[in-house]
Amino acid sequence: MEIELKCIECGRSVGEGTTNRCECGGLLDVILDLDSLRERVSRKLFNSRLGSRRFPYRSGVWRFRELINPLIPDKDIVSRPEGNTNLYRHEKVEQYTGIKNLFLKHEGENPTGSFKDRGMTSGISEAKRLRMKVVACASTGNTASSLASYASLAGMKSVVFIPEGMIAFGKLSQAMAYGARVLQIKGNFDDAMSLVQESSHELKMYLLNSINPWRIEGQKSIIFELIQQFDWEPPDWVIVPAGNLGNTSAFGKAFHELGELELIDEIPRIASIQASGADPFYKTWKENLPRLEAVENPETIATAIKIGNPVSWKKALRTIKLTNGLVEEVTDQEIMDSKAVIDGSGIGCEPASAASVAGAKKLRESGVIDKNERVACIITGNILKDPDATINYHLSKLKKISPRFANKPTVIEPTTEAVRKEID
Ligand code: F0G
C-alpha cells in the first residue's frame, strides 16, 4: 500500500513532504492505491462504524479513514470530531425552488461552524505527522477559524492572512479567540493568497489552504457521508457554492474514487455556483476558455466567496467534466432571498451557503433540473458567522438589495394592548 503525490499537469510523482506544487507549477493530487483499497473497504465497513464512540471513527471524516489518509497513525490524528452533519428537508425550501426532493446537507454544523473542519482535520493531522510547528493560510474567514482551532488543539502556532475589512465578524472573532496570529492584509483575498504562497515556504510555515492536497482529501468526506446518508444511492444532483474551488475539486475526486471502488453505481451531476460579482470560474467554463479569466475586483455580499482568482480552478474543471456537471452564477439578491428562506425554515446559514439553493432554483426555472430529480444542496456555513448581513437584510439596509422576506422587529409600548395590536 502506497500513497503518491502526483502533479495534475505533467503527471510527475512528487515525494511526500511539505511542497504543494510540482516543479512545473502544477497542483498536486493525493493518489490512493485503489486496487489494494478495493479489497479493504466496503459499504458494510463504513456502515459498521456509524455511531461508533471509538477514536477516530466517531468523526464523519475518519470513519472513512482508508479513503482520507490510509497510512496515518492514530497518534497523529487531530479530530474534534467533525462531520456527522444533518441532512434536512423543508417544504418551504422545496416550494421556493420548485424541486420536490431537495435535501440540505448542513456543513455549518461542524465544530467551528463550516465545512472547512473536514479539510482541516486532515491537513493538520498531516502537519502533525510531518512534525510541523507553524501552519498558515489565507482566508475569507472560515478557513482561518478552522485553522486557528485545530492548530491550537494540536499545540501548533497558526498565522492567518485575511483581507482587511472584508471578512465577517463571527469569523474574525473566532480566529482571534482560538489564538491565531492574525495578519490583516491591505488588499483582497487574492492578494492574501499570493502573499501566503510567497512567504510560507521561505518562513517555514506549512501552508494549509486547499492548494494543500490533504485538505482536499478531508473535504471528500462531505460526499462520502452524504452518499452514506442516502443509503449509497446517489442523488441526481449535488449543488455547491464555489469560491476558491476546493470543495468542487474534492467532490469530483470523491465521486471518482467511489465509482472506481464500486461503492456507487452512478455519479451525480455537480453544479458549482458562484456569486455573479465574483464569477471567474463561471466565465471560464461558459466561454470554454483555455485559461482562467480572473476577476480583478470581486464584489459580493457573500464575503466567503468574494474571490477573483481561485487557485484550484483546474481541479474544479476536472470535476465538472467528470460529472457532466455545470457552473452557474447567482446575484446577491438571489443569494440573500434564498438565505432568508433557508433561515425562515428554521435551518439557517451564512450568505455564501445560500448560493447552492439560489442555484438550484435558477437551474429548476431554466429547466436544467427536473422537478422530480433528487437534489442535494451543500450548506457550507453556520448562520451565526455573519449576523451583520442577516440583520441588515431584515432592516432593508443592504445596498442594491430589496428583501423579499424581510422580518423587521417592532418597538412597542410595554402594554398588553400594544401586543394585541401587533399579534392581530
Ligand atoms: N462557503 C463558505 C461558507 C466558505 O467559507 C467558502 C470558502 C465557500 C463556500 C467556497 O468554498 O473555496 O471550496 O470553493 N471559504 C474560504 C475561506 C475561501 O477562506 O474560508 P471553496
Side-chain angles (χ1 to χ4, degrees):
M1 173 93 199
E2 274 181 24
I3 292 176
E4 203 188 344
L5 290 183
K6 205 169 169 183
C7 175
I8 67 163
E9 306 270 355
C10 70
R12 193 177 307 156
S13 260
V14 179
E16 68 155 28
T18 59
T19 178
N20 283 313
R21 282 194 193 269
C22 172
E23 282 167 36
C24 77
L27 297 178
L28 304 177
D29 255 342
V30 174
I31 308 287
L32 299 175
D33 182 349
L34 294 175
D35 285 334
S36 84
L37 282 173
R38 204 166 283 127
E39 280 146 39
R40 289 174 53 198
V41 301
S42 61
R43 294 176 181 182
K44 202 168 146 207
L45 173 75
F46 296 136
N47 287 348
S48 75
R49 291 173 181 165
L50 271 177
S52 170
R53 287 166 181 261
R54 256 189 67 204
F55 180 89
Y57 301 121
R58 236 176 91 193
S59 158
V61 176
W62 297 104
R63 178 157 81 243
F64 306 98
R65 76 186 290 175
E66 289 82 358
L67 308 182
I68 305 289
N69 191 341
L71 300 183
I72 199 158
D74 282 5
K75 69 174 174 43
D76 288 334
I77 294 179
V78 183
S79 170
R80 288 198 55 173
E82 44 295 310
N84 295 310
T85 59
N86 285 300
L87 202 55
Y88 294 99
R89 292 185 75 169
H90 199 289
E91 237 186 350
K92 236 180 169 169
V93 187
E94 292 179 346
Q95 269 166 13
Y96 181 67
T97 54
I99 299 169
K100 277 195 219 145
N101 295 301
L102 187 93
F103 300 81
L104 304 177
K105 179 144 179 74
H106 208 321
E107 288 299 303
E109 295 175 346
N110 273 293
T112 74
S114 83
F115 71 91
K116 304 286 179 181
D117 294 342
R118 292 185 184 261
M120 207 51 77
T121 181
S122 164
I124 285 276
S125 298
E126 181 63 10
K128 192 169 172 193
R129 194 183 73 82
L130 295 168
R131 306 288 167 255
M132 294 292 130
K133 301 268 185 302
V134 187
V135 290
C137 73
S139 179
T140 56
N142 280 326
T143 305
S145 306
S146 189
L147 180 85
S149 164
Y150 279 80
S152 289
L153 269 178
M156 297 173 197
K157 294 214 174 334
S158 60
V159 185
V160 303
F161 294 54
I162 56 167
E164 189 193 17
M166 293 187 204
I167 80 170
F169 257 42
K171 305 173 189 183
L172 179 60
S173 70
Q174 279 180 291
M176 290 160 65
Y178 290 136
R181 183 88 185 83
V182 179
L183 305 180
Q184 295 185 290
I185 311 302
K186 293 180 183 164
N188 61 23
F189 169 82
D190 301 305
D191 300 320
M193 191 67 225
S194 302
L195 183 61
V196 78
Q197 288 188 79
E198 209 178 285
S199 57
S200 59
H201 187 64
E202 194 178 325
L203 302 176
K204 298 202 169 37
M205 301 186 287
Y206 186 61
L207 185 57
L208 272 173
N209 277 99
S210 56
I211 187 178
N212 183 318
W214 293 104
R215 281 276 316 278
I216 300 291
E217 293 305 287
Q219 281 169 217
K220 290 185 319 193
S221 67
I222 300 175
I223 294 300
F224 300 154
E225 195 175 272
L226 175 77
I227 299 303
Q228 189 174 34
Q229 282 167 313
F230 276 118
D231 247 339
W232 304 96
E233 297 227 346
D236 298 295
W237 290 88
V238 174
I239 306 192
V240 61
N244 213 20
L245 299 172
N247 256 353
T248 304
S249 303
F251 289 10
K253 190 167 190 288
F255 279 123
H256 168 72
E257 291 168 358
L258 288 177
E260 288 290 305
L261 294 167
E262 293 166 27
L263 292 169
I264 54 170
D265 299 326
E266 283 197 52
I267 292 182
R269 298 181 72 184
I270 291 180
S272 192
I273 315 293
Q274 296 217 285
S276 54
D279 61 350
F281 188 48
Y282 171 73
K283 288 205 175 93
T284 304
W285 174 79
K286 178 115 186 145
E287 287 158 35
N288 203 9
L289 303 175
R291 238 168 273 122
L292 183 84
E293 173 110 338
V295 169
E296 204 54 49
N297 291 306
E299 204 39 74
T300 167
I301 181 144
T303 51
I305 51 175
K306 190 168 157 178
I307 295 173
N309 193 8
V311 273
S312 295
W313 71 274
K314 276 196 181 158
K315 284 187 178 178
L317 203 54
R318 198 172 59 175
T319 292
I320 302 300
K321 286 183 182 150
L322 171 85
T323 67
N324 186 27
L326 55 84
V327 189
E328 185 52 276
E329 62 174 359
V330 289
T331 62
D332 281 3
Q333 177 79 48
E334 291 168 316
I335 289 176
M336 290 309 287
D337 284 334
S338 300
K339 170 176 150 57
V341 173
I342 300 164
D343 293 352
S345 70
I347 295 165
C349 66
E350 70 159 287
S353 311
S356 58
V357 168
K361 178 174 163 63
K362 190 167 177 183
L363 292 169
R364 170 69 203 108
E365 283 167 358
S366 60
V368 175
I369 294 181
D370 186 84
K371 69 173 186 306
N372 293 316
E373 283 185 307
R374 287 160 87 222
V375 178
C377 286
I378 309 300
I379 301 296
T380 45
N382 189 285
I383 190 173
L384 293 174
K385 289 280 190 174
D386 191 354
D388 290 340
T390 309
I391 289 177
N392 288 330
Y393 174 87
H394 289 291
L395 296 181
S396 303
K397 281 190 180 168
L398 295 176
K399 271 189 226 143
K400 296 192 206 148
I401 289 179
S402 12
R404 273 178 69 190
F405 307 104
N407 180 20
K408 201 174 163 192
T410 3
V411 180
I412 60 162
E413 293 301 325
T415 64
T416 305
E417 201 39 49
V419 176
R420 178 178 296 119
K421 242 169 110 187
E422 290 300 325
I423 303 300
D424 282 350

